[in-house]
Amino acid sequence: IESNLLRNEKIMASTSTISSPDENSCPSWLAPDGIRLGKGWANCTPLDWTVPLDEQLTKDQSSSIDFIIASDVVFLASMMNSLLHTVDTIFNASSSNNPSFILSFQRRDAKDGEGSAAFTTVDGVIAAVEERGWSLGCLAWRPVTVRKETEGEVADELSEVFVFKIKP
């Protein structure tokens, strides 16, 4: 994500106009790594959802989040609750910003189907989000080919990738 932010910063710098000196200053909670995008600022940081959020972000940081972006992070069913707990903490801390959670999810339950005990399923993601009373929309879906190795044999299998937008 950081490389995309830096690329966008360069693009925006050539087209953006700044109307006041205060807009030039990166907010202290993003400094020193805040990246200028248009009239705003952006930054990214990895989070470990097995560690309390207040041990990873300052109060100013956690209360100023507009977007949470996660890609391919909940392939095991046991990971879902920890991830959603962290997201819930951010939603509560940044409620005045009305943050969005963008989740890219690759289906890994092809052999076991929706009844998979080990892998997070599409139905499992939807159910976990709805249990929390959040809304979920599918922004994108596409089939993908995944190379898999089973008992020394390599074969291509068809899978799917979904991009969900989740709101509190």
Side-chain angles (χ1 to χ4, degrees), residues 23 32 99 125:
E23 290 182 27
V125 170

Side-chain angles (χ1 to χ4, degrees), residues 102-107 122 136-144 160-165:
I102 308 299
L103 174 65
S104 173
F105 174 76
Q106 180 182 328
R107 182 185 291 273
V122 175
L136 177 140
C138 186
L139 299 177
W141 166 89
R142 73 177 188 141
V144 294
E160 299 169 294
V161 173
F162 299 82
V163 178
F164 296 115
K165 181 178 182 180

Side-chain angles (χ1 to χ4, degrees), residues 5 7 19 47 65 82 84 111 127 131 150 157 162:
L5 288 174
R7 183 185 69 236
S19 60
L47 293 177
I65 293 172
S82 294
L84 294 184
K111 289 184 180 178
E131 276 178 20
T150 307
E157 288 186 14
F162 299 82

Side-chain angles (χ1 to χ4, degrees), residues 110-111 144-150 155-160:
K111 289 184 180 178
V144 294
T145 302
V146 180
R147 182 153 288 192
K148 297 214 175 180
E149 183 176 343
T150 307
D156 289 340
E157 288 186 14
L158 189 61
S159 187
E160 299 169 294

Side-chain angles (χ1 to χ4, degrees), residues 107-119 121:
R107 182 185 291 273
R108 298 184 190 278
D109 59 352
K111 289 184 180 178
D112 298 333
E114 286 296 330
S116 177
F119 294 106
T121 64

Side-chain angles (χ1 to χ4, degrees), residues 11-13 16 25 29-30 32 38 40 49 55-56 60 62 83-84 88 114 130-131 136 141 148 160 164:
I11 292 168
M12 294 303 296
S16 179
S25 301
W29 53 270
L30 278 178
W49 51 88
E55 292 179 21
Q56 301 177 74
D60 282 344
S62 61
L83 171 65
L84 294 184
D88 188 46
E114 286 296 330
E130 289 177 345
E131 276 178 20
L136 177 140
W141 166 89
K148 297 214 175 180
E160 299 169 294
F164 296 115

